[in-house]
Amino acid sequence: MTEGAQAAGGRDAAAVDRFVERFAAELTEAGMQRMASRVFAALLASDTGSLNAAELAERLQISPAAVSGAIRYLSQVSMVGREREPGSRRERYRLHSELWYETFTRRDQVLIRWQQTLREGADSLGPGTPAAQRISETAEFFAFLHAEMTQIMDRWRAHKADRAAEQATETVGDPER
Amino acid sequence: MTEGAQAAGGRDAAAVDRFVERFAAELTEAGMQRMASRVFAALLASDTGSLNAAELAERLQISPAAVSGAIRYLSQVSMVGREREPGSRRERYRLHSELWYETFTRRDQVLIRWQQTLREGADSLGPGTPAAQRISETAEFFAFLHAEMTQIMDRWRAHKADRAAEQATETVGDPER
DNA sequence: CCTTAACTTCACAAATTTCTGAAAGAAGCG
DNA sequence: CGCTTCTTTCAGAAATTTGTGAAGTTAAGG
């Protein structure tokens, strides 16, 4: 806190590690697998937004097997993509550029499933009963939330595009890279 | 599906149990402790939205200790409240009426913490670096989300109030009970 | 006050999850 | 084609989590 720690050229590796571990811990607390959280946080803190297995294993002090498992999970939930390093037989794991969009789209699916289960539950309880009424309301809440989430993501992308447009007045570049 | 199963008077207990277990499993998959999920689902499916420890233990086939643990968690995250049964030394566990409001308010706090961690992380990485930029954007995303969530909850309550007002033309009653 | 009903805490056994080393499996490169 | 480098799979050891019975605590009611 008292020292602006990153020396000329290199950043303060210890501070970065601390951030990686802290954010990973928060993700873990929220229910994500521990290794997946750590790998994700490490990618987030990398300049290119991508690392290969060896780099991950070294930075996080974990076995290649652990990397493999974490990546399997993260790609399944569309949080990272895998690509080949040209001129090498290594693979590179990269944060999706549409990261939060993909992640929240996925979470959206959960809301839909819950909604369905709840509606079936309301049927089982017999319409008219207070329980069925409560459960129906809950289902409706999730339907509402689902609709709103979609809009939010649209708004976020618009918001981001706006900022990007501002930037573009200085730096004219390809938005994809 | 082929039979409208609930007999006159009593509902189809098996179907209700099935719902409770299914919805609980979905909550568990989303990261909630198993017993907490089951207790919560059982409360949701009860007519009064409340049960006591003995009822929960019997319906879910679990020990009093398990009930106690689940309730401790659920009340900590403001999903149920505890109250005394008058004329008895039993306690009654009740779904909060502002259930989703409370739950999402709580989740909101997580967003705020993440945001903070991310901003600190961006500092550690040194402004100007691509990593810091990415992390800042993520922090901004959560700030955005937080603001939107608050609005959504307001809209939901308005939405619910509207429907309640419609109902009130038929059934004039105390909204609390 | 003492009894007793109800809930909580605690220590432990069981089940599950997590991570690793070792072996097997792909895929570029010579 | 075989060698080499990288990744994945697998079986098992270690750690963690989970649920229980039993003892402990609290407070209502006689």
CSV table of all heavy atoms in Angstrom, one decimal, chain B residues 94-134:
chain,number,residue,atom,x,y,z
B,94,ARG,N,-40.2,-19.9,8.3
B,94,ARG,CA,-41.1,-19.3,7.3
B,94,ARG,C,-40.4,-18.6,6.2
B,94,ARG,O,-39.4,-17.9,6.4
B,94,ARG,CB,-42.1,-18.3,8.0
B,94,ARG,CG,-42.5,-17.2,7.1
B,94,ARG,CD,-43.7,-16.5,7.7
B,94,ARG,NE,-44.9,-17.3,7.5
B,94,ARG,CZ,-45.8,-17.8,8.4
B,94,ARG,NH1,-45.6,-17.5,9.6
B,94,ARG,NH2,-46.8,-18.5,8.0
B,95,LEU,N,-40.8,-18.9,5.0
B,95,LEU,CA,-40.3,-18.2,3.8
B,95,LEU,C,-40.5,-16.7,4.0
B,95,LEU,O,-41.6,-16.2,4.4
B,95,LEU,CB,-41.1,-18.6,2.6
B,95,LEU,CG,-40.4,-19.5,1.6
B,95,LEU,CD1,-39.5,-20.5,2.2
B,95,LEU,CD2,-41.4,-20.2,0.7
B,96,HIS,N,-39.5,-15.9,3.7
B,96,HIS,CA,-39.7,-14.5,3.7
B,96,HIS,C,-40.7,-14.1,2.6
B,96,HIS,O,-40.6,-14.6,1.5
B,96,HIS,CB,-38.4,-13.7,3.5
B,96,HIS,CG,-37.7,-13.4,4.8
B,96,HIS,ND1,-36.4,-13.7,5.0
B,96,HIS,CD2,-38.2,-12.9,5.9
B,96,HIS,CE1,-36.1,-13.3,6.2
B,96,HIS,NE2,-37.1,-12.8,6.8
B,97,SER,N,-41.5,-13.1,2.9
B,97,SER,CA,-42.5,-12.7,1.9
B,97,SER,C,-41.7,-11.9,0.8
B,97,SER,O,-42.0,-12.0,-0.4
B,97,SER,CB,-43.6,-11.8,2.5
B,97,SER,OG,-43.0,-10.9,3.4
B,98,GLU,N,-40.7,-11.2,1.2
B,98,GLU,CA,-39.9,-10.5,0.2
B,98,GLU,C,-38.8,-11.3,-0.3
B,98,GLU,O,-37.6,-10.9,-0.5
B,98,GLU,CB,-39.4,-9.2,0.8
B,98,GLU,CG,-40.4,-8.2,1.2
B,98,GLU,CD,-41.0,-7.5,-0.1
B,98,GLU,OE1,-40.1,-7.2,-1.0
B,98,GLU,OE2,-42.2,-7.3,-0.2
B,99,LEU,N,-39.1,-12.6,-0.4
B,99,LEU,CA,-38.1,-13.6,-0.7
B,99,LEU,C,-37.0,-13.3,-1.7
B,99,LEU,O,-35.8,-13.2,-1.4
B,99,LEU,CB,-38.8,-14.9,-1.1
B,99,LEU,CG,-37.9,-16.1,-1.3
B,99,LEU,CD1,-37.1,-16.5,-0.1
B,99,LEU,CD2,-38.8,-17.3,-1.8
B,100,TRP,N,-37.5,-13.1,-2.9
B,100,TRP,CA,-36.5,-12.9,-4.0
B,100,TRP,C,-35.8,-11.5,-3.8
B,100,TRP,O,-34.6,-11.4,-4.2
B,100,TRP,CB,-37.1,-13.0,-5.3
B,100,TRP,CG,-37.7,-14.4,-5.4
B,100,TRP,CD1,-39.0,-14.8,-5.6
B,100,TRP,CD2,-36.9,-15.6,-5.4
B,100,TRP,NE1,-39.1,-16.1,-5.6
B,100,TRP,CE2,-37.9,-16.7,-5.5
B,100,TRP,CE3,-35.6,-15.9,-5.3
B,100,TRP,CZ2,-37.5,-18.0,-5.5
B,100,TRP,CZ3,-35.2,-17.3,-5.3
B,100,TRP,CH2,-36.1,-18.3,-5.4
B,101,TYR,N,-36.5,-10.6,-3.3
B,101,TYR,CA,-35.9,-9.3,-3.1
B,101,TYR,C,-34.7,-9.5,-2.2
B,101,TYR,O,-33.6,-9.0,-2.4
B,101,TYR,CB,-36.9,-8.3,-2.5
B,101,TYR,CG,-36.3,-7.0,-2.3
B,101,TYR,CD1,-36.0,-6.2,-3.4
B,101,TYR,CD2,-35.9,-6.5,-1.0
B,101,TYR,CE1,-35.3,-4.9,-3.2
B,101,TYR,CE2,-35.3,-5.3,-0.8
B,101,TYR,CZ,-35.0,-4.5,-1.9
B,101,TYR,OH,-34.4,-3.3,-1.7
B,102,GLU,N,-34.9,-10.1,-1.1
B,102,GLU,CA,-33.8,-10.3,-0.1
B,102,GLU,C,-32.7,-11.1,-0.7
B,102,GLU,O,-31.5,-10.8,-0.5
B,102,GLU,CB,-34.3,-11.1,1.2
B,102,GLU,CG,-35.7,-10.6,1.7
B,102,GLU,CD,-35.5,-9.9,3.0
B,102,GLU,OE1,-34.4,-9.8,3.5
B,102,GLU,OE2,-36.6,-9.5,3.6
B,103,THR,N,-33.0,-12.2,-1.4
B,103,THR,CA,-32.0,-13.0,-1.9
B,103,THR,C,-31.1,-12.3,-2.9
B,103,THR,O,-29.9,-12.4,-2.9
B,103,THR,CB,-32.7,-14.2,-2.6
B,103,THR,OG1,-33.4,-15.0,-1.7
B,103,THR,CG2,-31.6,-15.1,-3.3
B,104,PHE,N,-31.8,-11.5,-3.8
B,104,PHE,CA,-31.0,-10.8,-4.8
B,104,PHE,C,-30.3,-9.6,-4.3
B,104,PHE,O,-29.2,-9.3,-4.8
B,104,PHE,CB,-31.9,-10.5,-6.0
B,104,PHE,CG,-32.0,-11.6,-6.9
B,104,PHE,CD1,-32.9,-12.7,-6.6
B,104,PHE,CD2,-31.3,-11.8,-8.1
B,104,PHE,CE1,-33.0,-13.8,-7.4
B,104,PHE,CE2,-31.4,-12.9,-8.9
B,104,PHE,CZ,-32.3,-13.9,-8.6
B,105,THR,N,-30.8,-9.0,-3.3
B,105,THR,CA,-30.1,-8.0,-2.6
B,105,THR,C,-28.7,-8.5,-2.1
B,105,THR,O,-27.7,-7.9,-2.3
B,105,THR,CB,-30.9,-7.4,-1.4
B,105,THR,OG1,-32.1,-6.9,-1.9
B,105,THR,CG2,-30.1,-6.3,-0.7
B,106,ARG,N,-28.9,-9.7,-1.5
B,106,ARG,CA,-27.7,-10.3,-1.0
B,106,ARG,C,-26.6,-10.6,-2.1
B,106,ARG,O,-25.5,-10.4,-2.0
B,106,ARG,CB,-28.0,-11.6,-0.3
B,106,ARG,CG,-26.9,-12.2,0.5
B,106,ARG,CD,-27.5,-13.0,1.7
B,106,ARG,NE,-26.5,-12.9,2.8
B,106,ARG,CZ,-25.4,-13.5,2.9
B,106,ARG,NH1,-25.0,-14.3,1.9
B,106,ARG,NH2,-24.6,-13.4,3.9
B,107,ARG,N,-27.1,-11.2,-3.2
B,107,ARG,CA,-26.2,-11.5,-4.3
B,107,ARG,C,-25.6,-10.2,-4.8
B,107,ARG,O,-24.4,-10.2,-5.3
B,107,ARG,CB,-27.0,-12.2,-5.4
B,107,ARG,CG,-26.2,-12.7,-6.6
B,107,ARG,CD,-26.8,-13.8,-7.3
B,107,ARG,NE,-26.8,-15.0,-6.5
B,107,ARG,CZ,-27.3,-16.2,-6.9
B,107,ARG,NH1,-27.7,-16.3,-8.1
B,107,ARG,NH2,-27.3,-17.3,-6.1
B,108,ASP,N,-26.3,-9.2,-4.8
B,108,ASP,CA,-25.8,-7.9,-5.2
B,108,ASP,C,-24.5,-7.5,-4.4
B,108,ASP,O,-23.6,-6.9,-5.0
B,108,ASP,CB,-26.9,-6.8,-4.8
B,108,ASP,CG,-27.3,-6.1,-6.1
B,108,ASP,OD1,-27.2,-6.7,-7.2
B,108,ASP,OD2,-27.7,-4.9,-5.9
B,109,GLN,N,-24.5,-7.8,-3.2
B,109,GLN,CA,-23.4,-7.5,-2.4
B,109,GLN,C,-22.1,-8.2,-2.9
B,109,GLN,O,-21.0,-7.7,-2.9
B,109,GLN,CB,-23.6,-7.9,-0.9
B,109,GLN,CG,-24.7,-7.1,-0.2
B,109,GLN,CD,-24.5,-5.6,-0.4
B,109,GLN,OE1,-23.5,-5.1,-0.2
B,109,GLN,NE2,-25.6,-5.0,-1.0
B,110,VAL,N,-22.3,-9.4,-3.4
B,110,VAL,CA,-21.2,-10.1,-4.0
B,110,VAL,C,-20.7,-9.3,-5.2
B,110,VAL,O,-19.5,-9.2,-5.4
B,110,VAL,CB,-21.7,-11.5,-4.5
B,110,VAL,CG1,-20.6,-12.2,-5.2
B,110,VAL,CG2,-22.1,-12.3,-3.3
B,111,LEU,N,-21.6,-8.8,-6.0
B,111,LEU,CA,-21.1,-8.1,-7.2
B,111,LEU,C,-20.2,-6.9,-6.8
B,111,LEU,O,-19.2,-6.6,-7.4
B,111,LEU,CB,-22.3,-7.5,-8.0
B,111,LEU,CG,-23.2,-8.5,-8.7
B,111,LEU,CD1,-24.3,-7.8,-9.5
B,111,LEU,CD2,-22.3,-9.3,-9.7
B,112,ILE,N,-20.7,-6.3,-5.7
B,112,ILE,CA,-19.9,-5.1,-5.2
B,112,ILE,C,-18.5,-5.5,-4.8
B,112,ILE,O,-17.5,-4.9,-5.1
B,112,ILE,CB,-20.6,-4.4,-4.1
B,112,ILE,CG1,-21.9,-3.7,-4.7
B,112,ILE,CG2,-19.8,-3.4,-3.4
B,112,ILE,CD1,-22.8,-3.1,-3.6
B,113,ARG,N,-18.4,-6.6,-4.1
B,113,ARG,CA,-17.1,-7.1,-3.6
B,113,ARG,C,-16.2,-7.4,-4.8
B,113,ARG,O,-15.1,-7.1,-4.8
B,113,ARG,CB,-17.3,-8.3,-2.7
B,113,ARG,CG,-16.3,-8.3,-1.6
B,113,ARG,CD,-16.5,-9.3,-0.5
B,113,ARG,NE,-16.8,-10.6,-1.0
B,113,ARG,CZ,-18.0,-11.2,-0.7
B,113,ARG,NH1,-18.8,-10.6,0.1
B,113,ARG,NH2,-18.3,-12.4,-1.1
B,114,TRP,N,-16.8,-8.1,-5.8
B,114,TRP,CA,-16.0,-8.5,-6.9
B,114,TRP,C,-15.5,-7.3,-7.6
B,114,TRP,O,-14.3,-7.2,-8.0
B,114,TRP,CB,-16.9,-9.3,-7.9
B,114,TRP,CG,-17.2,-10.6,-7.5
B,114,TRP,CD1,-17.0,-11.2,-6.3
B,114,TRP,CD2,-17.8,-11.7,-8.3
B,114,TRP,NE1,-17.4,-12.5,-6.2
B,114,TRP,CE2,-17.9,-12.8,-7.5
B,114,TRP,CE3,-18.3,-11.8,-9.6
B,114,TRP,CZ2,-18.5,-14.0,-7.9
B,114,TRP,CZ3,-18.8,-12.9,-10.0
B,114,TRP,CH2,-18.9,-14.1,-9.2
B,115,GLN,N,-16.3,-6.3,-7.7
B,115,GLN,CA,-16.0,-5.1,-8.4
B,115,GLN,C,-14.7,-4.4,-7.7
B,115,GLN,O,-13.8,-4.0,-8.4
B,115,GLN,CB,-17.1,-4.1,-8.3
B,115,GLN,CG,-17.3,-3.1,-9.4
B,115,GLN,CD,-18.3,-2.1,-9.0
B,115,GLN,OE1,-18.0,-0.9,-9.0
B,115,GLN,NE2,-19.5,-2.5,-8.6
B,116,GLN,N,-14.8,-4.4,-6.4
B,116,GLN,CA,-13.7,-3.9,-5.7
B,116,GLN,C,-12.4,-4.6,-5.9
B,116,GLN,O,-11.4,-4.0,-6.2
B,116,GLN,CB,-14.1,-3.9,-4.2
B,116,GLN,CG,-13.3,-3.0,-3.3
B,116,GLN,CD,-13.9,-2.9,-1.9
B,116,GLN,OE1,-15.0,-3.5,-1.7
B,116,GLN,NE2,-13.3,-2.2,-1.0
B,117,THR,N,-12.5,-5.9,-5.8
B,117,THR,CA,-11.3,-6.8,-6.0
B,117,THR,C,-10.7,-6.5,-7.4
B,117,THR,O,-9.5,-6.4,-7.6
B,117,THR,CB,-11.7,-8.2,-5.9
B,117,THR,OG1,-12.2,-8.5,-4.6
B,117,THR,CG2,-10.5,-9.1,-6.1
B,118,LEU,N,-11.6,-6.4,-8.4
B,118,LEU,CA,-11.2,-6.2,-9.7
B,118,LEU,C,-10.4,-4.8,-9.9
B,118,LEU,O,-9.4,-4.7,-10.6
B,118,LEU,CB,-12.3,-6.3,-10.7
B,118,LEU,CG,-12.9,-7.7,-10.9
B,118,LEU,CD1,-14.3,-7.7,-11.5
B,118,LEU,CD2,-11.9,-8.5,-11.8
B,119,ARG,N,-11.0,-3.8,-9.3
B,119,ARG,CA,-10.4,-2.5,-9.4
B,119,ARG,C,-9.0,-2.5,-8.8
B,119,ARG,O,-8.0,-2.0,-9.3
B,119,ARG,CB,-11.2,-1.4,-8.8
B,119,ARG,CG,-12.5,-1.2,-9.5
B,119,ARG,CD,-13.1,0.2,-9.4
B,119,ARG,NE,-14.5,0.3,-9.8
B,119,ARG,CZ,-14.9,0.3,-11.0
B,119,ARG,NH1,-14.0,0.2,-12.0
B,119,ARG,NH2,-16.2,0.4,-11.3
B,120,GLU,N,-8.9,-3.2,-7.6
B,120,GLU,CA,-7.6,-3.3,-7.0
B,120,GLU,C,-6.6,-4.0,-7.9
B,120,GLU,O,-5.5,-3.7,-8.1
B,120,GLU,CB,-7.7,-4.0,-5.7
B,120,GLU,CG,-8.3,-3.1,-4.6
B,120,GLU,CD,-8.7,-3.9,-3.3
B,120,GLU,OE1,-8.1,-5.0,-3.1
B,120,GLU,OE2,-9.5,-3.4,-2.5
B,121,GLY,N,-7.1,-5.1,-8.5
B,121,GLY,CA,-6.3,-5.9,-9.4
B,121,GLY,C,-5.8,-5.0,-10.6
B,121,GLY,O,-4.6,-5.1,-11.0
B,122,ALA,N,-6.7,-4.2,-11.2
B,122,ALA,CA,-6.3,-3.4,-12.3
B,122,ALA,C,-5.1,-2.5,-11.9
B,122,ALA,O,-4.2,-2.3,-12.6
B,122,ALA,CB,-7.5,-2.5,-12.8
B,123,ASP,N,-5.2,-2.0,-10.6
B,123,ASP,CA,-4.1,-1.1,-10.1
B,123,ASP,C,-2.8,-1.9,-10.1
B,123,ASP,O,-1.8,-1.4,-10.5
B,123,ASP,CB,-4.5,-0.6,-8.7
B,123,ASP,CG,-5.5,0.5,-8.8
B,123,ASP,OD1,-5.8,1.0,-9.9
B,123,ASP,OD2,-6.0,0.9,-7.7
B,124,SER,N,-2.9,-3.1,-9.5
B,124,SER,CA,-1.7,-3.9,-9.4
B,124,SER,C,-1.0,-4.2,-10.7
B,124,SER,O,0.2,-4.3,-10.8
B,124,SER,CB,-2.0,-5.3,-8.8
B,124,SER,OG,-2.5,-5.1,-7.5
B,125,LEU,N,-1.8,-4.3,-11.7
B,125,LEU,CA,-1.3,-4.6,-13.1
B,125,LEU,C,-0.7,-3.4,-13.7
B,125,LEU,O,0.0,-3.5,-14.8
B,125,LEU,CB,-2.3,-5.3,-13.9
B,125,LEU,CG,-2.6,-6.7,-13.5
B,125,LEU,CD1,-4.0,-7.1,-13.9
B,125,LEU,CD2,-1.6,-7.6,-14.2
B,126,GLY,N,-0.9,-2.3,-13.2
B,126,GLY,CA,-0.4,-1.1,-13.8
B,126,GLY,C,-1.3,-0.6,-14.9
B,126,GLY,O,-1.7,-1.4,-15.7
B,127,PRO,N,-1.7,0.6,-14.8
B,127,PRO,CA,-2.7,1.1,-15.8
B,127,PRO,C,-2.0,1.1,-17.1
B,127,PRO,O,-0.8,1.0,-17.2
B,127,PRO,CB,-2.9,2.6,-15.3
B,127,PRO,CG,-1.7,2.9,-14.5
B,127,PRO,CD,-1.1,1.7,-14.0
B,128,GLY,N,-2.7,1.1,-18.2
B,128,GLY,CA,-2.1,1.1,-19.5
B,128,GLY,C,-1.9,-0.3,-20.0
B,128,GLY,O,-2.0,-0.5,-21.2
B,129,THR,N,-1.7,-1.3,-19.2
B,129,THR,CA,-1.5,-2.7,-19.7
B,129,THR,C,-2.8,-3.2,-20.2
B,129,THR,O,-3.9,-2.9,-19.7
B,129,THR,CB,-0.9,-3.6,-18.6
B,129,THR,OG1,-1.9,-3.7,-17.6
B,129,THR,CG2,0.4,-3.2,-18.1
B,130,PRO,N,-2.7,-4.1,-21.2
B,130,PRO,CA,-4.0,-4.7,-21.7
B,130,PRO,C,-4.7,-5.4,-20.6
B,130,PRO,O,-5.9,-5.4,-20.6
B,130,PRO,CB,-3.5,-5.7,-22.8
B,130,PRO,CG,-2.1,-5.1,-23.2
B,130,PRO,CD,-1.5,-4.5,-21.9
B,131,ALA,N,-4.0,-6.1,-19.7
B,131,ALA,CA,-4.6,-6.9,-18.7
B,131,ALA,C,-5.5,-6.0,-17.8
B,131,ALA,O,-6.6,-6.2,-17.5
B,131,ALA,CB,-3.6,-7.6,-17.9
B,132,ALA,N,-4.8,-4.9,-17.4
B,132,ALA,CA,-5.5,-3.9,-16.5
B,132,ALA,C,-6.8,-3.4,-17.2
B,132,ALA,O,-7.8,-3.2,-16.6
B,132,ALA,CB,-4.6,-2.7,-16.2
B,133,GLN,N,-6.7,-3.2,-18.5
B,133,GLN,CA,-7.8,-2.7,-19.3
B,133,GLN,C,-9.0,-3.7,-19.3
B,133,GLN,O,-10.1,-3.3,-19.0
B,133,GLN,CB,-7.4,-2.4,-20.7
B,133,GLN,CG,-8.1,-1.3,-21.4
B,133,GLN,CD,-7.4,-0.9,-22.7
B,133,GLN,OE1,-6.2,-0.9,-22.7
B,133,GLN,NE2,-8.2,-0.5,-23.7
B,134,ARG,N,-8.6,-4.9,-19.5
B,134,ARG,CA,-9.6,-6.0,-19.5
B,134,ARG,C,-10.3,-6.1,-18.1
B,134,ARG,O,-11.5,-6.2,-18.0
B,134,ARG,CB,-9.0,-7.3,-19.8
B,134,ARG,CG,-10.0,-8.5,-19.8
B,134,ARG,CD,-9.4,-9.8,-20.2
B,134,ARG,NE,-8.4,-9.7,-21.2
B,134,ARG,CZ,-7.1,-9.8,-21.0
B,134,ARG,NH1,-6.6,-10.0,-19.8
B,134,ARG,NH2,-6.3,-9.7,-22.0
